[in-house]
Amino acid sequence: MRHDKQIAIILPDTLRSTGLQSLLADYFPPVEICHFPSFELFSNASGDAFDYFFTDPETFVLNADFFLPRRNKTGLLIDSADTETPLATNKISVKAPQETILDQLQHLFASDNAPIQETNKELTSREIDVLQLIVKGITNKEIADKLSISLNTVLSHRKNITSKLGIKTVSGLTFYAIMNGIISGEEIEL
């Protein structure tokens, strides 16, 4: 017997929520969708009853304890139209063409039974150390001092990290680090 996908959309934005509901109902039936304008309302409504979750980066970071164990079933709606970002983090680019969004949604649903990938395997342990400090807001000079390496070595590690991951912004690196369990939301200074 085929089971309807139970989907929770946790977004304060009604327009994006309605658009996502329409795409899911039209292209990925059968689905049962519930919209929650805040995480508090969602958590009061038996959050573990859902198969998939869609939310924005802010809600994800603020409630990382809930989303991290469910990251392979969580779609993160981002405002970028960057289609070159790896799909391993289940990003849904809301400014991308509809075909790209449908591909990203299909990827999320296709990874239903796949184990959570450890995508940080390609980073060395030292690159992970540098990444942790970058997302904490530490400057290059402070990273060099803290890790007892030269400033040029820090810059080389940063270059390697951005090259390997294809992510150039600190906010993008922060989401990558959180989504892959490299750092927790509490460790980041806002």
Side-chain angles (χ1 to χ4, degrees):
M1 185 172 151
R2 199 164 151 177
H3 166 68
D4 289 2
K5 295 176 197 83
Q6 303 292 319
I7 298 175
I9 298 176
I10 309 150
L11 289 171
D13 181 348
T14 304
L15 190 57
R16 283 194 303 171
S17 174
T18 303
L20 180 59
Q21 286 180 45
S22 175
L23 285 175
L24 292 169
D26 291 348
Y27 292 96
F28 300 96
V31 293
E32 286 186 33
I33 304 168
C34 293
H35 172 245
F36 302 95
S38 70
F39 186 82
E40 291 73 28
L41 291 173
F42 164 74
S43 62
N44 292 337
S46 176
D48 283 329
F50 295 96
D51 300 316
Y52 296 95
F53 310 90
F54 290 91
T55 192
D56 58 5
E58 182 179 348
T59 303
F60 182 91
V61 170
L62 292 174
N63 302 285
D65 291 341
F66 176 84
F67 290 113
L68 278 177
R70 298 164 181 85
R71 68 181 179 255
N72 62 334
K73 294 183 179 238
T74 300
L76 191 63
L77 277 66
I78 59 171
D79 288 330
S80 170
D82 179 13
T83 57
E84 301 301 315
T85 303
L87 293 175
T89 55
N90 294 330
K91 291 180 182 173
I92 312 300
S93 303
V94 298
K95 292 184 179 175
Q98 180 174 327
E99 184 176 301
T100 302
I101 293 171
L102 292 173
D103 287 344
Q104 292 170 338
L105 290 169
Q106 180 62 40
H107 176 76
L108 172 66
F109 295 133
S111 66
D112 185 13
N113 295 320
I116 296 173
Q117 296 177 338
E118 292 299 326
T119 54
N120 59 348
K121 280 193 251 181
E122 56 190 66
L123 295 180
T124 66
S125 61
R126 186 53 107 182
E127 288 168 346
I128 291 172
D129 293 341
V130 170
L131 178 59
Q132 289 171 330
L133 296 172
I134 290 170
V135 300
K136 288 180 181 178
I138 310 289
T139 66
N140 291 336
K141 172 94 173 82
E142 292 169 331
I143 293 171
D145 293 342
K146 191 170 255 197
L147 297 178
S148 301
I149 57 178
S150 74
L151 181 59
N152 285 339
T153 303
V154 173
L155 295 174
S156 292
H157 285 310
R158 283 187 81 127
K159 181 180 173 190
N160 291 339
I161 291 166
T162 58
S163 174
K164 287 179 180 180
L165 301 179
I167 303 170
K168 296 179 180 164
T169 64
V170 174
S171 61
L173 291 171
T174 302
F175 288 122
Y176 173 85
I178 290 171
M179 293 288 284
N180 288 284
I182 294 172
I183 194 167
S184 71
E186 292 92 36
E187 296 178 80
I188 300 170
E189 291 183 27
L190 298 176

